[in-house]
Amino acid sequence: MTATRLLRYPFVALVLAAFALPPVWLLLSSLKPELEIFAWPPTVLPSAPTLDNFRKAWLQDHFAGFFLNSTFVAAVSSAISVAISVMAGYALAKFRFAGDTFFFLLIMSALMIPLQIILIPIFLVLRDLHLLNTLWGVILAPAATPTGVLIMRQYIRGIPDSLLEAARMDGTSEWRILWRIVVPLSLPAIATLTAFSFVARWNDFLWPFLVINDRSQWTVQLAIASNVGQWDINWPRLLAMSVLSVIPTFALFVTLQRFFMSGMMAGATKE
């Protein structure tokens, strides 16, 4: 074993520890009573683990309702984003029409526009559509993203044109080609986009904060932020809510891990 490899293992261990320590500390601290959270010297393992923080957060603070709101927002917004990105990516990758390059560059130019510039125009559009203080206002505002269109276009370009032409010669419609051929072959990219979109919508604080006023429509991030007051912070419930908020994104990544990793590798090698 070379000296370089011997030095590599401690470095990798330090990097893993740096990434693993915050979530592990968060989980262990959420199982402690408030006095033990701020005990000095600090303790790693709770002396008397308790689920009381989770019970109070779930029942007394009605976190279950906020959890369902975020799940609805993230799932529906991700489905809309993926559907739009797949259709737009297919059209831009496999069709040649007047202005196709212009439309692609126009969509990509949205990546260069800071979100702060378009906050007020989008807010006014939502107001005119009577979508303020509704979950649909949170869902529709960021549903279509140029990043999703770019990911799907680049991946679909790698699907052989001969395969699609053979389907057209058999009389298959473009819709059936898209959903029966292109979509199954693009599952790694779709899974990657789904993971990105779901995590972004689940962790989004800005749009729910701007759109929603009614507490019953709060998402998880608004509920977590409500524990941070001007004079004090409810640390036990804040930690418990933070742990609960990680569960859906962690479960999604574990479920889509195989597709996610293959999609990332394909995106790194395809033109």
Side-chain angles (χ1 to χ4, degrees), residues 58-153:
W58 192 262
L59 298 178
Q60 295 183 11
D61 288 352
H62 306 289
F63 191 77
F66 308 143
F67 194 90
L68 291 176
N69 290 340
S70 281
T71 302
F72 177 74
V73 168
V76 175
S77 184
S78 298
I80 295 174
S81 178
V82 170
I84 294 175
S85 299
V86 168
M87 291 186 288
Y90 175 56
L92 293 171
K94 294 302 182 182
F95 288 90
R96 294 296 172 263
F97 52 90
D100 55 345
T101 302
F102 169 78
F103 284 113
F104 175 68
L105 294 177
L106 181 64
I107 294 173
M108 291 301 101
S109 65
L111 292 172
M112 296 179 286
I113 301 177
L115 177 61
Q116 293 79 1
I117 294 178
I118 60 176
L119 280 177
I120 295 178
I122 296 179
F123 182 86
L124 295 177
V125 170
L126 294 177
R127 182 199 63 183
D128 295 339
L129 294 175
H130 304 288
L131 292 176
L132 293 181
N133 204 30
T134 66
L135 294 180
W136 283 106
V138 181
I139 290 171
L140 295 179
T145 61
T147 304
V149 175
L150 176 63
I151 291 175
M152 294 311 307
R153 175 185 180 270

Side-chain angles (χ1 to χ4, degrees), residues 3 31 63 72 86 89 93 104 108 129 133 138-139 143 168 177-178 190 201 227 234-236 249 262:
L31 299 175
F63 191 77
F72 177 74
V86 168
F104 175 68
M108 291 301 101
L129 294 175
N133 204 30
V138 181
I139 290 171
R168 293 189 183 103
I177 291 175
L178 173 62
I190 292 174
R201 299 289 75 78
N227 288 278
N234 192 331
W235 284 106
T249 53
S262 60

